[in-house]
Amino acid sequence: DSADLAAAAGAHVRMVPLPGKGHVVRRLFADVEADVYVLVDGDSTYDAASAPAMVELLQANGLDMVVALREAADAAAFRRGHVAGNLMLSRFLGWLFGQSCHDALTGYRVLSRRFVRSFPALGGGWEIEPEIVVHALELKMPIGTHRSPYRARPAGSVSKLNTWSDGARILGTMLRLFQAERPLAFFGTAAAAFTLSALGLAAPLLQTYLDTGLVPRLPTAVLATGLMLVAAFSLGVGLVLDIVTRGRREAKLLAYLGQAGPMRVRASS
C-alpha cells in the first residue's frame, strides 16, 4: 500500500503503466520540475533522515550527484550474494571507465537539475543504476558520498530483485555501455584478439613457405587471412563509432551546461 500511504501523507503520486524501475525514473525525470531531485527506493530500507544532509552537501559544494553509501543497520540488511555482486559490479564499472566507483547499485541518490536534464534514461529495469553512474563519470561531474544506514525490508515485504538474473542483466548493461561509450577500446581489443589469433595460425605456415616454397595447409591460410580482415574491420568500426560517441558526448555536455547548477558563482572583474 505504498501509493495509498504516500498519498495520505500529502505526496503527489503518479502511476507508470510500464513495469521496471528504469521506466519509473524516466517518467520522474520527464514530468517533475525541480532544482534538486532525491531518488530513493520506497521499500523502507533507506534512511529518510539522511536526505537533508545529502541535499545540503550537494548545494553547499556545487555537486551534481550525492551517493548514499549503504551501511548495514542490522544483520539482515544485506544478503551475502548481493554484497559480493555489488562490490564486483562497482569495481568492474570503475575499472571500465578509469574512475573509482562506490556502491554503484545504491537506490538512494540526490541529483542536480542539470544532471537530470542531460541524462537520457534508456534502461527499463535495475540497469538504470549503472547508467546513472556512467553518465556522471562520462561528463566528469562532481560527485559526493554520504554514509547512510541501510535496514532490512519490513516484515511481509519481498524484494523483486533476483540475484543472478538481475546481476547478469546489469553486467550485460555495463558491457553495452562500455561498447557504446568506449567503442575504440572495445573494438580495438577485439581487433587485437583477432590479429593475435591470425598471427598464431600464420606463423607455422610462413615458416613452411620459407623452407619449401609451398603452402600445404590452404584452409588454415584462408582462416588466418579472414581473421586479419575481421581485425581490420573491427578496428575501422571502432574508429568510426568513436567519432559518433564524441558527438553524442558533446551533445550531452551542451545540455548539461545549458542548465543552472546547484551553486551558481558570479565572477567579478
Side-chain angles (χ1 to χ4, degrees):
D1 301 323
S2 299
D4 293 336
L5 292 171
H12 297 282
V13 179
R14 300 191 181 186
M15 306 303 294
V16 179
L18 293 174
K21 182 176 181 178
H23 296 300
V24 175
V25 171
R26 186 181 303 109
R27 293 310 314 163
L28 162 69
F29 288 173
D31 295 346
V32 176
E33 288 288 340
D35 292 326
V36 177
Y37 294 75
V38 179
L39 185 64
V40 59
D41 294 344
D43 55 10
S44 194
T45 59
Y46 292 94
D47 181 47
S50 298
M54 294 171 66
V55 172
E56 173 63 23
L57 179 63
L58 181 113
Q59 293 180 316
N61 295 279
L63 305 176
D64 286 305
M65 180 168 68
V66 174
V67 180
L69 301 181
R70 294 172 288 180
E71 293 186 330
D74 52 68
F78 286 107
R79 281 185 278 176
R80 184 174 300 177
H82 288 179
V83 173
N86 184 42
L87 179 62
M88 179 189 69
L89 293 174
S90 296
R91 289 186 175 179
F92 179 60
L93 190 60
W95 175 77
L96 284 180
F97 292 92
Q99 299 184 53
S100 60
C101 178
H102 304 286
D103 205 353
L105 302 182
T106 180
Y108 199 2
R109 307 172 189 274
V110 174
L111 307 171
S112 69
R113 175 185 176 85
R114 59 185 177 184
F115 182 105
V116 170
R117 288 293 171 252
S118 63
F119 175 62
L122 300 176
W126 296 101
E127 61 270 22
I128 191 69
E129 303 293 358
E131 278 192 15
I132 290 175
V133 175
V134 168
H135 181 66
L137 296 179
E138 281 296 280
L139 296 189
K140 296 180 175 55
M141 296 180 181
I143 303 171
T145 58
H146 178 81
R147 297 192 176 277
S148 178
Y150 185 71
R151 304 179 179 86
R153 298 178 70 95
S157 175
V158 179
S159 174
K160 300 182 180 68
L161 182 64
N162 183 282
T163 301
W164 297 108
S165 63
D166 285 299
R169 187 191 310 172
I170 293 171
L171 182 59
T173 298
M174 289 180 173
L175 291 173
R176 288 193 297 273
L177 288 170
F178 181 49
Q179 181 267 320
E181 301 296 341
R182 296 285 191 274
L184 186 56
F186 182 86
F187 287 100
T189 301
F194 286 124
T195 299
L196 290 175
S197 299
L199 293 176
L201 292 173
L205 297 180
L206 178 61
Q207 186 62 46
T208 301
Y209 176 76
L210 294 176
D211 293 339
T212 66
L214 301 175
V215 183
R217 290 181 289 172
L218 184 60
T220 302
V222 172
L223 177 59
T225 303
L227 289 174
M228 285 300 297
L229 291 175
V230 172
F233 179 75
S234 296
L235 184 59
V237 169
L239 290 170
V240 172
L241 290 180
D242 186 65
I243 296 174
V244 175
T245 299
R246 287 177 182 272
R248 290 192 297 105
R249 190 177 302 129
E250 288 174 1
K252 289 191 290 186
L253 182 58
L254 289 175
Y256 169 79
L257 295 175
Q259 302 292 329
M263 181 179 67
R264 179 68 71 178
V265 178
R266 185 180 300 276
S268 59
S269 56

